[in-house]
């Protein structure tokens, strides 16, 4: 628990920094806050930020680095005899970690032989002892370092405070720095994700020919080492299902949006719009269940042999159409909610202009409002498309798992995302091409959706320029 | 002038185009127009003046039933265009608006080409029988709006790309192309610079030959320059209505006098 206590101490120091900063400023202004350069709270905030940001930073870095150092020290004293026998260093260290962390939590110090829980490998006790001792020392030094940093930085911040000190400007700058840090964190994570996929993808292309991946026509992983791993049948399934989903979602969503923004009264709107937005938040697995339990069987009763229509078009229980329709239903609120916002952003003066020329309501919508909103609507549709392409659960439950090229929407097919899941789950060796292909698929998917999103953003941005 | 002078004596006598009688307008509970009666004449420019919020726009929008598009707005009274009640149930507001065109305060060209902006009304109302006839309508409307010379080489360029003054003249051309009988203009120059304003004013004077024009304006000079008749509104009432020269030189009501001399803002 030293971490929690340390955190509370830092908070307390931050609070004191705030009040001392305030007092110093006020004293230097002879008690009249109007003599200050900035408003009073800025001085306190300046001191508080100077205390809390560097000390928490030190703490975070320390908490990240310390376990690495402690582990490598403990690993060095692992008994060689055990290492060579039946367990790898990783397994032994896992035990050291588990037992050590438990003892650290209990606050144990000194010789441990008696306290180690039953069942612990006796030969590991020296390593565990070292682990516990080092962790305690580390925490002690961390507390000292963090408090020292807090005090020094607080002192440095408090010294220049007087009536002329431009506290507001420094606070503004610090806040900007914090915001930049948050933004960079988000961007760096994305870069990290892409890089990690990229390395695994490079590994994959070292083991498997890239021409087969991009231009082959068969997806047939096996464990004999001669798998056909081509993205094309999966890409076909992905695009086909997404296309059906968009055919369902775009007209329905768009008409709903036009009704909501142009015809519905304020009461209907106040009730229907939040409802649609709630629909947009339903987890896709629920839609998957709908596909599995309702839409799939319904299509089977209609189209399978002996079905109501007396045709034999649908062989199995799953189909592209099932997944596509359900995915389309999932996307309706998404499309309608975005389009509704966009249609509402078309200035009323545009409608007045058209109505004032004697156009009817629907002529106005068709010829003025929709064209004016079109770039934004296209952007919304592209966003919906990238969601459809990335969707997994509905496909698993609705479309089946067969990778093939076919135009028949009543056949099973599969998509990139579901194959990623199935290649990574299971007992596959992590360095075989059958597993690594998941990363190549993931990267391709990333590039595809990124392209769509960039296109959507580009179009939406162009649209914004029109009315501002 | 309401006592029906003989035609021989007064050759300038114009027919009444729009006759409004006891018009009341409510926005919910707000009584925005109170008991307004006025006769607007054919081939005449009538200016509506008055302080902000006195109901000029509201009354103007009654004349082509644009107030129908505002849910909470209720209009009572009797407004006749060429003797026909425009609030009669049998009248289609859409057809009425084709006869009574409107130009708005802020230029609002559609996000279409210049040509399509002007052709919008004629297309909707089926005024042209072919492409060449439509071309003629567009050209003549743009000429009347004094815009033809500036845009004839770029009819396919977007209307939103024009300057503010050009956009407003495009909107006037758009209204003219629909061949209305009355043209309502709500502060058409308030977003324009002085040069563009002068062009639009010149245009309004020419439009008088074919249309009745009603213009709302905040500028007394503009009212004096372009109009033959002036109506002064105050707090929802029509205070005074008469020849522009008389209103500006010899107002009868003290409120009118205060306004035109700058004492009511
Ligand atoms: N859409 C509306 N909803 C409610 N009240 C309105 C609306 N439009 C105008 N009003 C009210 O009606 C009165 C007259 O407004 P308006 O006709 O716009 O005045 P003017 O054009 O002379 O400045 C004002 O009090 C205004 O607040
Ligand atoms: Mg107004």
């Amino acid at each position: 628990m030293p971490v929690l206590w340390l955190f509370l101490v830092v908070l307390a120091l931050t609070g004191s920094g705030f009040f001392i900063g305030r007092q110093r400023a006020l004293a230097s202004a002879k008690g009249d806050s109007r003599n200050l350069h900035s408003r009073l709270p800025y001085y306190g905030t300046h001191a508080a930020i100077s205390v809390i940001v560097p000390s928490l930073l030190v703490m975070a870095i320390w908490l990240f680095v310390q376990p690495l150092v402690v582990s490598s020290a403990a690993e060095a004293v692992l008994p060689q005899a055990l290492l060579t026998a039946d367990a790898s260093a990783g397994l032994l260290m896992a035990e050291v970690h588990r037992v050590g962390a438990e003892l650290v939590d209990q606050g144990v110090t000194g010789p441990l032989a008696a306290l180690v829980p039953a069942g612990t490998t006796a030969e590991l006790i020296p390593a565990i002892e070292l682990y516990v001792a080092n962790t305690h020392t580390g925490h002690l030094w961390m507390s000292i370092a963090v408090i020292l940093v807090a005090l020094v930085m607080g002192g440095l911040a408090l010294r220049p405070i007087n009536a002329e000190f431009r506290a507001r400007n420094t606070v503004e700058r610090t806040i900007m720095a914090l915001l930049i840090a948050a933004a960079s964190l988000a961007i760096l994570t994305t870069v990290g994700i892409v890089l990690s996929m990229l390395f695994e993808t490079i590994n994959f292309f070292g083991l498997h020919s890239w021409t087969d991946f991009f231009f082959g026509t068969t997806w047939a992983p096996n464990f004999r080492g001669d798998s056909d791993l081509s993205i094309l049948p999966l890409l076909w399934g992905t695009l086909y299902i997404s296309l059906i989903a968009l055919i369902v979602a775009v007209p329905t969503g768009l008409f709903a949006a036009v009704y909501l923004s142009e015809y519905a009264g304020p009461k209907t709107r106040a009730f229907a719009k939040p409802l649609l937005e709630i629909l947009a938040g339903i987890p896709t697995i629920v839609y998957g269940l709908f596909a599995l339990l309702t839409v799939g069987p319904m299509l089977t009763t209609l189209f399978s042999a002996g079905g109501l229509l007396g045709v034999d078009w649908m062989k199995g229980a799953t189909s592209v159409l099932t997944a596509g329709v359900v995915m389309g239903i999932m996307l309706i609120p998404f499309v309608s909610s975005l389009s509704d916002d966009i249609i509402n952003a078309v200035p009323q003066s545009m409608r007045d202009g058209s109505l004032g020329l004697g156009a009817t309501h629907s002529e106005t919508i068709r010829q003025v409002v929709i064209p004016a909103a079109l770039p934004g609507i296209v952007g919304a549709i592209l966003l919906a498309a990238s969601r459809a392409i990335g969707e997994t659960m509905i496909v698993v439950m609705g479309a089946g798992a067969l990778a093939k090229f076919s135009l028949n929407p009543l056949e099973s097919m599969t998509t990139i995302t579901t194959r990623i899941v199935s290649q990574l789950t299971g007992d596959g060796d992590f360095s075989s091409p059958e597993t690594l292909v998941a990363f190549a698929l993931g990267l391709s998917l990333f590039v595809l959706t990124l392209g769509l999103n960039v296109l959507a953003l580009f179009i939406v941005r162009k649209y914004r320029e029109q009315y501002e | 002038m309401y006592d029906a002078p003989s035609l021989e004596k007064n050759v300038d006598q114009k027919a009444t185009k729009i006759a409004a009688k006891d018009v009341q307008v409510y926005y919910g509970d707000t009584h925005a127009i109170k008991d307004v009666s006025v006769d607007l004449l054919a081939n005449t420019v009538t200016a509506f003046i008055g302080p902000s919020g006195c109901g000029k726009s509201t009354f103007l929008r009654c004349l082509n039933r644009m107030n129908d598009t505002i849910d909470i707005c209720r209009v009572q009274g009797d407004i006749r265009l060429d003797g026909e009640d425009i609030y009669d149930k049998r009248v289609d507001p859409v057809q009425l608006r084709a006869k009574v065109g409107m130009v708005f305060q802020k230029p609002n060209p559609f996000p279409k080409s210049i040509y399509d902006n002007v052709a919008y009304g004629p297309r909707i109302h089926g005024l042209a029988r072919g492409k060449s006839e439509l071309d003629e309508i567009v050209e003549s409307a743009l000429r009347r709006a004094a815009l033809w010379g500036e845009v004839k080489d770029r009819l396919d360029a977007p209307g939103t790309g024009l300057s503010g003054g050009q956009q407003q003249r495009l909107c006037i051309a758009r209204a003219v192309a629909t061949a209305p009988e009355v043209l309502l203009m709500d502060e058409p120059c308030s977003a324009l610079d002085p040069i563009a304003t002068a062009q639009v004013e010149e245009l309004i004077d020419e439009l008088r030959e074919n249309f009745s024009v009603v213009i709302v304006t905040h500028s007394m000079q503009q009212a004096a320059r372009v109009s033959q008749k002036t109506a002064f509104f105050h707090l929802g009432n029509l205070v005074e209505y008469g020849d522009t020269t008389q209103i500006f030189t010899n107002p009868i009501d003290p409120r009118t006098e205060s306004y035109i001399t700058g004492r009511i803002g």
Side-chain angles (χ1 to χ4, degrees):
Chain A
M1 291 297 104
V3 177
L4 179 62
W5 280 113
L6 186 57
F7 183 67
L8 291 179
V9 170
V10 168
L11 279 191
L13 286 176
T14 307
S16 340
F18 183 87
F19 281 106
I20 301 175
R22 231 180 103 102
Q23 283 325 112
R24 269 186 73 93
L26 205 54
S28 136
K30 304 194 178 55
D32 184 352
S33 64
R34 281 172 304 178
N35 295 335
L36 294 169
H37 165 270
S38 315
R39 282 180 45 239
L40 198 48
Y42 279 109
Y43 293 90
T45 313
H46 167 66
I49 290 177
S50 312
V51 172
I52 197 164
V53 173
S55 50
L56 286 189
L57 208 61
V58 167
M59 196 159 139
I61 293 173
W62 196 293
L63 285 175
F64 180 71
V65 174
Q66 180 181 314
L68 303 180
V69 178
V70 169
S71 300
S72 68
E75 199 169 342
V77 302
L78 283 181
Q80 292 302 316
L82 274 186
L83 259 185
T84 43
D86 56 345
S88 70
L91 275 176
L92 294 177
M93 280 312 292
E95 188 172 349
V96 172
H97 276 287
R98 186 170 48 76
V99 179
E102 202 173 299
L103 292 171
V104 168
D105 274 352
Q106 290 166 7
V108 179
T109 47
L112 313 158
L115 300 161
V116 168
T120 311
T121 321
E123 290 87 339
L124 284 180
I125 289 182
I128 296 174
E129 242 163 26
L130 190 63
Y131 178 94
V132 173
N134 279 346
T135 306
H136 280 305
T137 332
H139 281 164
L140 181 66
W141 281 107
M142 175 177 75
S143 310
I144 295 174
V146 167
I147 293 177
L148 208 64
V149 165
L151 290 176
V152 169
M153 295 310 285
L156 285 181
L158 286 173
R159 234 164 48 120
I161 286 187
N162 59 35
E164 260 87 69
F165 182 68
R166 306 193 161 195
R168 185 172 44 205
N169 310 35
T170 50
V171 169
E172 292 289 328
R173 264 201 305 279
T174 333
I175 287 175
M176 189 180 79
L178 282 177
L179 298 179
I180 289 177
S184 343
L185 195 68
I187 292 170
L188 284 179
T189 334
T190 318
V191 171
I193 292 172
V194 173
L195 282 184
S196 70
M197 284 206 294
L198 197 62
F199 290 134
E200 299 296 344
T201 306
I202 291 171
N203 283 343
F204 168 71
F205 284 129
L207 296 170
H208 195 90
S209 95
W210 64 273
T211 42
D212 179 53
F213 180 73
F214 285 114
F215 304 114
T217 52
T218 330
W219 172 266
N222 61 43
F223 294 102
R224 293 187 301 276
D226 57 350
S227 312
D228 287 314
L229 300 171
S230 163
I231 193 176
L232 286 184
L234 307 183
L235 191 63
W236 169 249
T238 306
L239 294 181
Y240 199 6
I241 293 180
S242 306
L243 182 75
I244 294 178
L246 290 182
I247 288 175
V248 171
V250 169
T252 324
L254 209 52
F255 289 169
V258 167
Y259 169 71
L260 274 185
S261 57
E262 296 286 331
Y263 290 95
K267 277 201 195 111
T268 326
R269 219 182 124 70
F271 153 85
K273 178 124 170 124
L275 201 68
L276 272 177
E277 267 151 21
I278 290 171
L279 275 183
I282 293 180
T284 56
I285 187 85
V286 177
Y287 286 102
L289 289 175
F290 181 57
L292 190 69
L293 296 177
T294 313
V295 179
M298 206 173 74
L299 290 178
T300 317
T301 35
L302 283 180
F303 294 108
S304 65
L308 291 179
L309 296 183
V311 291
D312 182 18
W313 292 343
M314 190 163 169
K315 302 280 190 281
T318 54
S319 72
V320 166
L321 191 62
T322 315
V325 166
V326 174
M327 207 187 276
I329 294 172
M330 172 193 89
L331 289 177
I332 288 171
F334 189 71
V335 172
S336 74
S337 178
L338 279 176
S339 313
D340 178 65
D341 291 342
I342 292 157
I343 291 174
N344 272 323
V346 174
Q348 182 60 30
S349 67
M350 210 71 88
R351 296 184 184 88
D352 284 348
S354 172
L355 293 173
L357 289 171
T360 63
H361 200 158
S362 80
E363 281 167 342
T364 302
I365 292 166
R366 264 184 291 129
Q367 307 203 19
V368 175
V369 177
I370 298 283
L374 197 60
I377 292 173
V378 171
I381 292 171
L382 289 182
L383 286 180
S386 66
R387 267 200 74 175
I389 289 172
E391 174 52 39
T392 316
M393 277 345 280
I394 295 177
V395 180
V396 172
M397 301 176 83
L402 283 173
K404 65 178 159 207
F405 291 102
S406 165
L407 275 175
N408 182 356
L410 294 167
E411 282 194 51
S412 294
M413 279 185 215
T414 191
T415 63
I416 299 179
T417 49
T418 51
R419 284 316 93 191
I420 293 178
V421 175
S422 70
Q423 292 313 106
L424 283 180
T425 49
D427 285 341
D429 176 4
F430 217 75
S431 54
S432 70
E434 285 75 26
T435 310
L436 287 175
V437 70
F439 296 98
L441 290 175
L443 198 61
S444 313
L445 196 65
F446 180 84
V447 171
L448 190 66
T449 48
L450 185 75
L452 274 181
N453 282 332
V454 168
L455 191 64
L457 284 180
F458 173 76
I459 292 174
V460 169
R461 183 145 329 144
K462 232 180 121 183
Y463 155 78
R464 277 209 198 110
E465 285 165 0
Q466 279 192 5
Y467 303 116
E468 280 171 6
Chain B
M1 62 175 292
Y2 292 105
D3 49 2
S6 70
L7 282 173
E8 292 93 319
K9 259 165 69 188
N10 196 344
V11 286
D12 255 338
Q13 176 63 47
K14 308 244 171 72
T16 297
K17 188 72 190 171
I18 296 183
K21 218 160 166 291
D22 302 330
V23 175
Q24 321 278 348
V25 181
Y26 302 86
Y27 289 109
D29 293 333
T30 323
H31 197 172
I33 291 288
K34 297 160 192 158
D35 263 334
V36 170
S37 301
V38 65
D39 285 344
L40 304 172
L41 305 183
N43 301 95
T44 304
V45 178
T46 307
F48 287 177
I49 60 170
S52 273
C54 67
K56 307 180 294 292
S57 301
T58 301
F59 186 67
L60 195 71
R61 291 165 63 94
C62 290
L63 303 181
N64 67 345
R65 294 186 59 174
M66 275 302 276
N67 282 333
D68 291 14
T69 63
I70 301 175
D71 289 334
I72 55 167
C73 186
R74 269 186 307 125
V75 180
Q76 290 168 3
D78 183 74
I79 303 178
R80 286 171 187 275
L81 174 69
D82 291 329
E84 215 184 315
D85 182 4
I86 64 170
Y87 279 86
D88 191 285
K89 279 197 183 57
R90 279 166 305 175
V91 171
D92 183 356
V94 167
Q95 280 173 336
L96 171 71
R97 288 180 206 140
K99 278 196 262 179
V100 185
M102 188 155 199
V103 175
F104 297 83
Q105 183 165 357
K106 246 182 77 199
N108 56 352
F110 303 135
K112 299 171 182 286
S113 71
I114 293 172
Y115 183 95
D116 287 339
N117 260 283
V118 182
Y120 186 80
R123 276 186 181 140
I124 279 183
H125 300 294
L127 299 185
R129 252 164 313 196
K131 172 81 177 120
S132 59
E133 215 176 308
L134 190 60
D135 287 349
E136 272 169 39
I137 294 178
V138 169
E139 178 176 342
S140 79
L142 282 169
R143 278 190 195 283
R144 311 221 22 205
L147 194 59
W148 177 251
E150 289 156 66
V151 302
K152 65 172 187 287
D153 299 323
R154 47 172 178 150
L155 290 175
D156 290 331
T160 41
L162 298 171
S163 76
Q166 289 174 324
Q167 286 189 11
Q168 193 63 306
R169 278 179 284 149
L170 178 64
C171 292
I172 293 173
R174 195 172 68 182
V176 167
T178 315
E181 297 164 20
V182 181
L183 200 54
L184 310 175
M185 302 178 134
D186 193 350
E187 301 185 36
C189 300
S190 63
L192 304 187
D193 62 62
I195 293 175
T197 302
Q199 285 168 328
V200 170
E201 282 178 8
E202 206 174 310
L203 185 60
I204 291 171
D205 201 51
E206 287 166 21
L207 293 177
R208 177 158 68 98
E209 275 180 39
N210 302 72
F211 312 108
S212 309
V213 179
V214 185
I215 174 172
V216 170
T217 173
H218 260 121
S219 150
M220 247 86 69
Q221 290 90 334
Q222 184 170 60
R225 279 194 301 264
V226 300
S227 72
Q228 290 80 52
K229 289 280 191 178
T230 296
F232 171 64
F233 286 81
H234 188 238
L235 299 178
N237 297 302
L238 175 62
V239 172
E240 192 166 348
Y241 175 57
D243 287 339
T244 299
T245 37
Q246 174 254 313
I247 296 264
F248 279 96
T249 53
N250 192 14
I252 296 164
D253 196 284
R255 285 172 289 177
T256 317
E257 177 163 14
S258 312
Y259 182 70
I260 60 175
T261 53
R263 268 174 285 156
I264 312 180

